[in-house]
Amino acid sequence: MKKTLFAAAFLAMLCGCAKDIPELHVVPAPQSVEMKGGSLDVRGINFNCDPAMDSASAGAVRGFAEELSRLCGRTCTVGEGKGVAFVVDASMAPEAYSVRIGRKDAEVRASGFGGFFYALQTIRQMLPVASGAQCKLPCCEISDAPRFGYRGLMLDCCRHFFSVEEVKKVLDVMSVYKLNRLHWHLSEDQGWRIQIDKYPRLTEVGAWRNGTMVRGDWKSNDGIRYGGFYTKDQIRDVIEYAAARGITIVPEIDLPGHMQAALASYPELGCKGSKPQPYEVWTVWGVSKQVLNVGNEKTMRFLEDVLGEVADLFPGEYIHIGGDECPRDEWKADPQCQAKIRELGLKDSDGVSAEARLQNYVTARMQKFLASKGKKIIGWDEILEGELAPGATVMSWRGTKGGIKAAGMGYDVIMAPTTYCYLDYIQSSDLEHEPFSITHNWATPETVGDAAVTLEKLYGFDPLAEIPEEARGHILGMQCNLWTEYIATPEHLEYMLFPRVLALSEDAWCQPSVKDPERFRRSLESYQLPLLDKMGVNYRKLDK
Ligand code: ACM
């Protein structure tokens, strides 16, 4: 009895102490956190960078010192002396970091920019959202590293166009949540968005459409000319802005389907007898049957020229070449495509049509061309149909089965299944009150519950579920996709992105043992949503 009482008193004492130690509300939650009690006052503190530190990391520390000075109302210094020491530790993995905060000083360790930048994001989230509040860091030891190397977000800037400023705002928020790839969807049936010097009509003609269908009514057209594109200088600016935030841009030129805007610009690249004529930049949503004539050598040169300029512009290792939803009806009727099929000896076999094999040929040729430029390809999971050359990375969107199969075959995979990762899908079951979304086109009050991609559902996604142990190394990571057919304004874009992107962040960064939906929700309520408010970000309020 005495023993039980003692144990109860001891437990009560422990709980009492735990109450005084604040819970960290950092998202994504770090891999390991040991709270120590006590705090470090960081008003006017000094930041001391290791002489071995690279200039990008030193720049990030200087930027952070300025932010902290504004936040706490006292100037922080960067130089010799005590305070927060930044130590280069070459033994650490590229994005890993550790933070030790004591009552008198602190130490941050990383091997380079990725780790130092993420350590700063974590420390920022341990400080108050608003300026003027207490500027103290809780004493603790943190050791952190991401579960996956690829933590991505796809923005469709074709169905609707978003300004450089809006793209940068999204990059700002991505960097807070340690996402490191922006997949930038730049070509579509409904609009071509990237300047290509050799083919000026792509942006003179292909970037503009004569109106847009209204909501889900395929017969309607609002009659308003719509468009826009990014110049190469603007793109260079975005690339640099992203890099300073640890983000690499993966550009997508979607081929050989989803090319109607290019066909409106250069009709000679189309199939014989393609209808309707003349080609127009598409004004409705869906999958256009008007596709590139890949039996024409001129078309292949066009693709290589375009991808060549894209490869020269973007420094990252990957170029996304799309490959999804390419109807092959026109190839069946086109004499040049059929001649190419005969020349290559392609046959219907093993349930794969000769036309599907023609697409394999296009994929392989672009892959080889891009390899000559030092780039690797990513394609949507349709590129698995038929034959796929080694070295391609498969983005699994039609569920996870494509990704599971591809990983089993030895291809690298990025998981982005519609069921969990499509941020254009409705966020709740409330068809009446949620803004019109793609889900509204097919869901009923009975089915919308399953169709919705709620915050909680996305939080429950594990990219490695059902992946056999031996294939797990091929799962590079995951991505959420935001298609923008029904999203025309920055406010709506942000509403669809946030706070779901925070769930993506924990899915992609945290080990399953660290994830906890209740702690995640508390973090959002107590800190992250106010932080989004401070950043001027529109987001969907949490359900009660
Ligand atoms: C896709 O959603 N069509 C990749």
Short mmCIF file of all heavy atoms in Angstrom, two decimals, residues 268-323:
data_model
loop_
_atom_site.label_atom_id
_atom_site.label_comp_id
_atom_site.label_asym_id
_atom_site.label_seq_id
_atom_site.Cartn_x
_atom_site.Cartn_y
_atom_site.Cartn_z
N GLU A 268 1.36 21.99 -87.56
CA GLU A 268 2.06 20.98 -88.38
C GLU A 268 2.59 19.81 -87.54
O GLU A 268 3.02 18.80 -88.09
CB GLU A 268 3.19 21.64 -89.18
CG GLU A 268 4.33 22.25 -88.37
CD GLU A 268 4.07 23.71 -87.99
OE1 GLU A 268 2.90 24.12 -87.86
OE2 GLU A 268 5.07 24.43 -87.78
N LEU A 269 2.55 19.93 -86.21
CA LEU A 269 3.02 18.84 -85.34
C LEU A 269 1.90 17.84 -85.03
O LEU A 269 2.11 16.86 -84.31
CB LEU A 269 3.57 19.39 -84.03
CG LEU A 269 4.69 20.45 -84.15
CD1 LEU A 269 5.13 20.93 -82.77
CD2 LEU A 269 5.89 19.88 -84.91
N GLY A 270 0.71 18.09 -85.57
CA GLY A 270 -0.45 17.24 -85.26
C GLY A 270 -0.62 16.08 -86.23
O GLY A 270 0.10 15.96 -87.23
N CYS A 271 -1.59 15.24 -85.92
CA CYS A 271 -1.86 14.06 -86.73
C CYS A 271 -2.75 14.42 -87.92
O CYS A 271 -3.57 15.34 -87.84
CB CYS A 271 -2.55 12.99 -85.89
SG CYS A 271 -1.48 12.31 -84.62
N LYS A 272 -2.61 13.63 -88.97
CA LYS A 272 -3.44 13.85 -90.17
C LYS A 272 -4.91 13.59 -89.80
O LYS A 272 -5.22 12.63 -89.11
CB LYS A 272 -2.99 12.89 -91.26
CG LYS A 272 -3.53 13.21 -92.62
CD LYS A 272 -2.72 12.47 -93.69
CE LYS A 272 -3.39 12.48 -95.04
NZ LYS A 272 -3.82 13.77 -95.53
N GLY A 273 -5.75 14.49 -90.27
CA GLY A 273 -7.18 14.30 -90.05
C GLY A 273 -7.64 14.65 -88.65
O GLY A 273 -8.80 14.39 -88.29
N SER A 274 -6.74 15.24 -87.84
CA SER A 274 -7.13 15.59 -86.47
C SER A 274 -8.31 16.55 -86.48
O SER A 274 -8.32 17.52 -87.23
CB SER A 274 -5.94 16.23 -85.74
OG SER A 274 -6.28 16.51 -84.41
N LYS A 275 -9.29 16.27 -85.66
CA LYS A 275 -10.48 17.12 -85.61
C LYS A 275 -10.81 17.43 -84.15
O LYS A 275 -10.58 16.58 -83.31
CB LYS A 275 -11.67 16.37 -86.24
CG LYS A 275 -11.60 16.28 -87.72
CD LYS A 275 -13.01 16.46 -88.31
CE LYS A 275 -13.01 16.43 -89.81
NZ LYS A 275 -12.59 15.16 -90.39
N PRO A 276 -11.36 18.62 -83.84
CA PRO A 276 -11.73 19.69 -84.78
C PRO A 276 -10.53 20.51 -85.23
O PRO A 276 -9.51 20.58 -84.53
CB PRO A 276 -12.69 20.54 -83.96
CG PRO A 276 -12.28 20.33 -82.55
CD PRO A 276 -11.76 18.93 -82.46
N GLN A 277 -10.70 21.12 -86.40
CA GLN A 277 -9.71 22.06 -86.93
C GLN A 277 -10.37 23.42 -87.10
O GLN A 277 -11.57 23.47 -87.34
CB GLN A 277 -9.19 21.55 -88.29
CG GLN A 277 -8.31 20.32 -88.19
CD GLN A 277 -6.91 20.61 -87.65
OE1 GLN A 277 -6.54 21.77 -87.52
NE2 GLN A 277 -6.17 19.57 -87.31
N PRO A 278 -9.69 24.53 -87.06
CA PRO A 278 -8.29 24.59 -86.65
C PRO A 278 -8.14 24.24 -85.18
O PRO A 278 -9.09 24.33 -84.41
CB PRO A 278 -7.93 26.06 -86.91
CG PRO A 278 -9.22 26.80 -86.76
CD PRO A 278 -10.30 25.87 -87.25
N TYR A 279 -6.89 23.85 -84.81
CA TYR A 279 -6.62 23.59 -83.39
C TYR A 279 -6.84 24.86 -82.59
O TYR A 279 -6.55 25.95 -83.07
CB TYR A 279 -5.14 23.22 -83.20
CG TYR A 279 -4.74 21.85 -83.66
CD1 TYR A 279 -3.97 21.69 -84.81
CD2 TYR A 279 -5.07 20.72 -82.93
CE1 TYR A 279 -3.55 20.43 -85.22
CE2 TYR A 279 -4.65 19.46 -83.33
CZ TYR A 279 -3.89 19.32 -84.48
OH TYR A 279 -3.48 18.09 -84.86
N GLU A 280 -7.31 24.71 -81.37
CA GLU A 280 -7.38 25.88 -80.48
C GLU A 280 -6.86 25.49 -79.10
O GLU A 280 -6.89 24.32 -78.72
CB GLU A 280 -8.83 26.39 -80.36
CG GLU A 280 -9.79 25.35 -79.81
CD GLU A 280 -11.04 25.95 -79.17
OE1 GLU A 280 -11.36 27.12 -79.44
OE2 GLU A 280 -11.68 25.23 -78.40
N VAL A 281 -6.33 26.49 -78.40
CA VAL A 281 -5.97 26.24 -76.99
C VAL A 281 -7.28 25.87 -76.30
O VAL A 281 -8.28 26.61 -76.41
CB VAL A 281 -5.32 27.49 -76.35
CG1 VAL A 281 -4.95 27.21 -74.91
CG2 VAL A 281 -4.09 27.92 -77.16
N TRP A 282 -7.27 24.73 -75.64
CA TRP A 282 -8.55 24.16 -75.19
C TRP A 282 -9.22 25.03 -74.14
O TRP A 282 -8.56 25.56 -73.24
CB TRP A 282 -8.30 22.76 -74.63
CG TRP A 282 -9.34 21.76 -75.04
CD1 TRP A 282 -10.22 21.87 -76.08
CD2 TRP A 282 -9.59 20.49 -74.44
NE1 TRP A 282 -11.00 20.74 -76.16
CE2 TRP A 282 -10.63 19.88 -75.17
CE3 TRP A 282 -9.02 19.80 -73.36
CZ2 TRP A 282 -11.14 18.62 -74.85
CZ3 TRP A 282 -9.51 18.54 -73.05
CH2 TRP A 282 -10.56 17.96 -73.78
N THR A 283 -10.54 25.13 -74.24
CA THR A 283 -11.28 25.98 -73.29
C THR A 283 -12.08 25.14 -72.29
O THR A 283 -12.79 25.69 -71.45
CB THR A 283 -12.25 26.92 -74.05
OG1 THR A 283 -13.17 26.13 -74.79
CG2 THR A 283 -11.50 27.85 -74.99
N VAL A 284 -12.00 23.82 -72.44
CA VAL A 284 -12.72 22.95 -71.49
C VAL A 284 -11.72 22.05 -70.76
O VAL A 284 -10.56 21.96 -71.14
CB VAL A 284 -13.77 22.06 -72.22
CG1 VAL A 284 -14.82 22.91 -72.86
CG2 VAL A 284 -13.10 21.16 -73.25
N TRP A 285 -12.16 21.40 -69.70
CA TRP A 285 -11.28 20.49 -68.95
C TRP A 285 -11.41 19.07 -69.51
O TRP A 285 -12.30 18.79 -70.30
CB TRP A 285 -11.62 20.51 -67.46
CG TRP A 285 -11.78 21.87 -66.88
CD1 TRP A 285 -12.79 22.30 -66.08
CD2 TRP A 285 -10.89 22.99 -67.03
NE1 TRP A 285 -12.59 23.62 -65.71
CE2 TRP A 285 -11.43 24.06 -66.29
CE3 TRP A 285 -9.68 23.20 -67.72
CZ2 TRP A 285 -10.82 25.31 -66.21
CZ3 TRP A 285 -9.06 24.45 -67.64
CH2 TRP A 285 -9.63 25.48 -66.90
N GLY A 286 -10.55 18.20 -69.04
CA GLY A 286 -10.63 16.81 -69.47
C GLY A 286 -9.36 16.41 -70.20
O GLY A 286 -8.31 17.03 -70.04
N VAL A 287 -9.47 15.34 -70.99
CA VAL A 287 -8.31 14.80 -71.70
C VAL A 287 -8.57 14.96 -73.20
O VAL A 287 -9.44 14.30 -73.75
CB VAL A 287 -8.10 13.31 -71.35
CG1 VAL A 287 -6.93 12.73 -72.12
CG2 VAL A 287 -7.89 13.15 -69.84
N SER A 288 -7.80 15.80 -73.85
CA SER A 288 -8.01 16.03 -75.28
C SER A 288 -7.51 14.84 -76.09
O SER A 288 -6.46 14.26 -75.79
CB SER A 288 -7.26 17.29 -75.72
OG SER A 288 -7.27 17.38 -77.12
N LYS A 289 -8.25 14.50 -77.14
CA LYS A 289 -7.81 13.42 -78.04
C LYS A 289 -6.81 13.92 -79.06
O LYS A 289 -6.24 13.14 -79.83
CB LYS A 289 -9.03 12.83 -78.75
CG LYS A 289 -9.90 12.06 -77.80
CD LYS A 289 -10.76 11.06 -78.53
CE LYS A 289 -11.21 10.04 -77.52
NZ LYS A 289 -12.29 9.22 -77.94
N GLN A 290 -6.64 15.24 -79.15
CA GLN A 290 -5.71 15.80 -80.12
C GLN A 290 -4.30 15.76 -79.51
O GLN A 290 -4.02 16.48 -78.54
CB GLN A 290 -6.13 17.22 -80.48
CG GLN A 290 -7.53 17.22 -81.13
CD GLN A 290 -7.88 18.55 -81.78
OE1 GLN A 290 -8.12 19.52 -81.09
NE2 GLN A 290 -7.92 18.58 -83.11
N VAL A 291 -3.46 14.88 -80.08
CA VAL A 291 -2.13 14.66 -79.49
C VAL A 291 -1.05 14.86 -80.55
O VAL A 291 -1.35 14.99 -81.74
CB VAL A 291 -2.03 13.24 -78.88
CG1 VAL A 291 -3.08 13.05 -77.79
CG2 VAL A 291 -2.18 12.16 -79.95
N LEU A 292 0.21 14.87 -80.11
CA LEU A 292 1.31 15.08 -81.05
C LEU A 292 1.42 13.91 -82.02
O LEU A 292 1.20 12.75 -81.64
CB LEU A 292 2.63 15.20 -80.29
CG LEU A 292 2.85 16.45 -79.44
CD1 LEU A 292 4.18 16.35 -78.70
CD2 LEU A 292 2.80 17.72 -80.30
N ASN A 293 1.81 14.23 -83.24
CA ASN A 293 2.10 13.18 -84.23
C ASN A 293 3.55 12.74 -84.04
O ASN A 293 4.49 13.37 -84.55
CB ASN A 293 1.90 13.76 -85.64
CG ASN A 293 2.32 12.76 -86.71
OD1 ASN A 293 2.75 11.66 -86.41
ND2 ASN A 293 2.19 13.17 -87.96
N VAL A 294 3.73 11.65 -83.29
CA VAL A 294 5.10 11.24 -82.96
C VAL A 294 5.73 10.38 -84.06
O VAL A 294 6.88 9.96 -83.94
CB VAL A 294 5.15 10.51 -81.59
CG1 VAL A 294 4.77 11.46 -80.47
CG2 VAL A 294 4.26 9.28 -81.59
N GLY A 295 4.93 10.15 -85.13
CA GLY A 295 5.53 9.46 -86.30
C GLY A 295 6.27 10.44 -87.20
O GLY A 295 6.95 10.05 -88.13
N ASN A 296 6.13 11.72 -86.89
CA ASN A 296 6.75 12.78 -87.69
C ASN A 296 8.06 13.20 -87.03
O ASN A 296 8.07 13.66 -85.88
CB ASN A 296 5.75 13.96 -87.74
CG ASN A 296 6.27 15.10 -88.57
OD1 ASN A 296 7.41 15.12 -89.01
ND2 ASN A 296 5.40 16.08 -88.79
N GLU A 297 9.14 13.06 -87.75
CA GLU A 297 10.47 13.38 -87.19
C GLU A 297 10.54 14.85 -86.74
O GLU A 297 11.23 15.19 -85.78
CB GLU A 297 11.53 13.06 -88.24
CG GLU A 297 12.94 12.90 -87.71
CD GLU A 297 13.07 12.01 -86.46
OE1 GLU A 297 12.32 11.00 -86.30
OE2 GLU A 297 13.90 12.35 -85.62
N LYS A 298 9.80 15.70 -87.43
CA LYS A 298 9.78 17.12 -87.06
C LYS A 298 9.25 17.31 -85.62
O LYS A 298 9.72 18.16 -84.86
CB LYS A 298 8.87 17.86 -88.05
CG LYS A 298 8.99 19.33 -87.99
CD LYS A 298 8.33 19.99 -89.18
CE LYS A 298 8.39 21.51 -88.95
NZ LYS A 298 7.72 22.27 -89.95
N THR A 299 8.24 16.49 -85.26
CA THR A 299 7.70 16.56 -83.89
C THR A 299 8.75 16.13 -82.87
O THR A 299 8.87 16.73 -81.80
CB THR A 299 6.46 15.64 -83.76
OG1 THR A 299 5.57 15.93 -84.81
CG2 THR A 299 5.78 15.81 -82.43
N MET A 300 9.48 15.08 -83.22
CA MET A 300 10.50 14.60 -82.28
C MET A 300 11.59 15.66 -82.08
O MET A 300 12.07 15.87 -80.97
CB MET A 300 11.11 13.28 -82.78
CG MET A 300 10.09 12.16 -82.93
SD MET A 300 9.17 11.83 -81.40
CE MET A 300 10.27 10.67 -80.63
N ARG A 301 11.92 16.34 -83.17
CA ARG A 301 12.93 17.42 -83.05
C ARG A 301 12.37 18.55 -82.18
O ARG A 301 13.08 19.12 -81.35
CB ARG A 301 13.33 17.94 -84.43
CG ARG A 301 14.53 17.20 -85.00
CD ARG A 301 15.26 18.03 -86.04
NE ARG A 301 14.36 18.57 -87.05
CZ ARG A 301 13.90 17.88 -88.11
NH1 ARG A 301 14.27 16.63 -88.28
NH2 ARG A 301 13.09 18.44 -88.98
N PHE A 302 11.07 18.85 -82.37
CA PHE A 302 10.42 19.88 -81.53
C PHE A 302 10.57 19.51 -80.05
O PHE A 302 10.98 20.32 -79.22
CB PHE A 302 8.94 19.98 -81.93
CG PHE A 302 8.06 20.70 -80.93
CD1 PHE A 302 8.02 22.09 -80.89
CD2 PHE A 302 7.27 19.99 -80.02
CE1 PHE A 302 7.21 22.77 -79.97
CE2 PHE A 302 6.47 20.65 -79.10
CZ PHE A 302 6.43 22.04 -79.07
N LEU A 303 10.25 18.25 -79.73
CA LEU A 303 10.32 17.83 -78.32
C LEU A 303 11.75 17.94 -77.79
O LEU A 303 11.97 18.41 -76.66
CB LEU A 303 9.81 16.39 -78.17
CG LEU A 303 8.29 16.21 -78.33
CD1 LEU A 303 7.90 14.74 -78.24
CD2 LEU A 303 7.52 17.03 -77.27
N GLU A 304 12.70 17.52 -78.60
CA GLU A 304 14.09 17.59 -78.13
C GLU A 304 14.54 19.05 -77.97
O GLU A 304 15.24 19.38 -77.01
CB GLU A 304 15.01 16.82 -79.09
CG GLU A 304 14.76 15.33 -78.97
CD GLU A 304 15.60 14.47 -79.90
OE1 GLU A 304 16.26 15.02 -80.80
OE2 GLU A 304 15.56 13.24 -79.73
N ASP A 305 14.10 19.90 -78.90
CA ASP A 305 14.47 21.33 -78.78
C ASP A 305 13.88 21.92 -77.49
O ASP A 305 14.56 22.64 -76.75
CB ASP A 305 13.92 22.12 -79.97
CG ASP A 305 14.65 21.81 -81.27
OD1 ASP A 305 15.78 21.27 -81.20
OD2 ASP A 305 14.08 22.09 -82.34
N VAL A 306 12.59 21.63 -77.26
CA VAL A 306 11.93 22.18 -76.07
C VAL A 306 12.62 21.64 -74.81
O VAL A 306 13.00 22.41 -73.91
CB VAL A 306 10.42 21.83 -76.06
CG1 VAL A 306 9.80 22.14 -74.70
CG2 VAL A 306 9.69 22.60 -77.17
N LEU A 307 12.78 20.32 -74.75
CA LEU A 307 13.39 19.73 -73.54
C LEU A 307 14.84 20.20 -73.37
O LEU A 307 15.32 20.35 -72.25
CB LEU A 307 13.31 18.20 -73.59
CG LEU A 307 11.90 17.63 -73.44
CD1 LEU A 307 11.91 16.10 -73.58
CD2 LEU A 307 11.27 18.01 -72.09
N GLY A 308 15.51 20.44 -74.50
CA GLY A 308 16.88 20.95 -74.42
C GLY A 308 16.91 22.31 -73.73
O GLY A 308 17.73 22.55 -72.83
N GLU A 309 15.98 23.20 -74.12
CA GLU A 309 15.95 24.52 -73.47
C GLU A 309 15.55 24.40 -72.00
O GLU A 309 16.07 25.12 -71.14
CB GLU A 309 14.99 25.47 -74.22
CG GLU A 309 15.52 25.89 -75.58
CD GLU A 309 14.80 27.08 -76.20
OE1 GLU A 309 14.28 27.93 -75.45
OE2 GLU A 309 14.75 27.15 -77.45
N VAL A 310 14.63 23.49 -71.72
CA VAL A 310 14.20 23.29 -70.32
C VAL A 310 15.37 22.75 -69.49
O VAL A 310 15.63 23.22 -68.37
CB VAL A 310 12.98 22.33 -70.27
CG1 VAL A 310 12.66 21.92 -68.84
CG2 VAL A 310 11.76 22.99 -70.92
N ALA A 311 16.10 21.79 -70.07
CA ALA A 311 17.24 21.20 -69.34
C ALA A 311 18.32 22.25 -69.10
O ALA A 311 18.98 22.25 -68.05
CB ALA A 311 17.80 20.03 -70.13
N ASP A 312 18.51 23.15 -70.05
CA ASP A 312 19.53 24.19 -69.88
C ASP A 312 19.12 25.20 -68.80
O ASP A 312 19.96 25.80 -68.14
CB ASP A 312 19.76 24.96 -71.19
CG ASP A 312 20.47 24.08 -72.22
OD1 ASP A 312 21.03 23.04 -71.81
OD2 ASP A 312 20.44 24.43 -73.41
N LEU A 313 17.82 25.38 -68.64
CA LEU A 313 17.32 26.39 -67.71
C LEU A 313 17.29 25.90 -66.26
O LEU A 313 17.64 26.63 -65.34
CB LEU A 313 15.90 26.78 -68.18
CG LEU A 313 15.19 27.96 -67.54
CD1 LEU A 313 16.03 29.23 -67.63
CD2 LEU A 313 13.84 28.18 -68.24
N PHE A 314 16.84 24.66 -66.08
CA PHE A 314 16.62 24.16 -64.71
C PHE A 314 17.83 23.33 -64.26
O PHE A 314 18.19 22.36 -64.92
CB PHE A 314 15.36 23.29 -64.66
CG PHE A 314 14.09 24.09 -64.79
CD1 PHE A 314 13.55 24.36 -66.04
CD2 PHE A 314 13.44 24.58 -63.66
CE1 PHE A 314 12.39 25.10 -66.17
CE2 PHE A 314 12.27 25.32 -63.79
CZ PHE A 314 11.74 25.58 -65.04
N PRO A 315 18.43 23.67 -63.11
CA PRO A 315 19.64 22.97 -62.70
C PRO A 315 19.42 21.60 -62.04
O PRO A 315 20.37 20.83 -61.88
CB PRO A 315 20.27 23.93 -61.69
CG PRO A 315 19.14 24.74 -61.16
CD PRO A 315 18.11 24.81 -62.24
N GLY A 316 18.19 21.27 -61.67
CA GLY A 316 17.94 20.01 -60.94
C GLY A 316 18.23 18.78 -61.80
O GLY A 316 18.34 18.87 -63.02
N GLU A 317 18.30 17.62 -61.14
CA GLU A 317 18.66 16.41 -61.88
C GLU A 317 17.48 15.83 -62.66
O GLU A 317 17.67 15.06 -63.59
CB GLU A 317 19.26 15.35 -60.95
CG GLU A 317 18.29 14.76 -59.93
CD GLU A 317 18.89 13.60 -59.13
OE1 GLU A 317 19.71 12.85 -59.69
OE2 GLU A 317 18.52 13.45 -57.95
N TYR A 318 16.23 16.22 -62.29
CA TYR A 318 15.05 15.60 -62.92
C TYR A 318 14.31 16.57 -63.84
O TYR A 318 14.10 17.74 -63.50
CB TYR A 318 14.04 15.15 -61.87
CG TYR A 318 14.50 13.99 -61.02
CD1 TYR A 318 14.80 14.16 -59.68
CD2 TYR A 318 14.62 12.71 -61.58
CE1 TYR A 318 15.21 13.09 -58.89
CE2 TYR A 318 15.03 11.64 -60.81
CZ TYR A 318 15.33 11.84 -59.47
OH TYR A 318 15.74 10.79 -58.70
N ILE A 319 13.84 16.02 -64.98
CA ILE A 319 12.84 16.69 -65.81
C ILE A 319 11.65 15.73 -65.86
O ILE A 319 11.83 14.53 -66.13
CB ILE A 319 13.33 16.93 -67.26
CG1 ILE A 319 14.68 17.66 -67.29
CG2 ILE A 319 12.27 17.65 -68.07
CD1 ILE A 319 14.65 19.13 -67.08
N HIS A 320 10.47 16.25 -65.60
CA HIS A 320 9.26 15.41 -65.66
C HIS A 320 8.71 15.49 -67.08
O HIS A 320 8.49 16.59 -67.60
CB HIS A 320 8.24 15.97 -64.66
CG HIS A 320 7.17 15.00 -64.25
ND1 HIS A 320 6.36 14.37 -65.17
CD2 HIS A 320 6.77 14.56 -63.03
CE1 HIS A 320 5.51 13.58 -64.52
NE2 HIS A 320 5.74 13.67 -63.22
N ILE A 321 8.51 14.33 -67.71
CA ILE A 321 8.02 14.37 -69.09
C ILE A 321 6.58 13.87 -69.20
O ILE A 321 6.13 13.49 -70.29
CB ILE A 321 8.95 13.59 -70.06
CG1 ILE A 321 9.03 12.11 -69.69
CG2 ILE A 321 10.33 14.21 -70.10
CD1 ILE A 321 9.60 11.24 -70.81
N GLY A 322 5.86 13.90 -68.10
CA GLY A 322 4.43 13.61 -68.14
C GLY A 322 4.16 12.16 -68.54
O GLY A 322 4.51 11.24 -67.82
N GLY A 323 3.52 11.99 -69.70
CA GLY A 323 3.24 10.64 -70.20
C GLY A 323 1.86 10.13 -69.82
O GLY A 323 1.45 9.04 -70.23
#
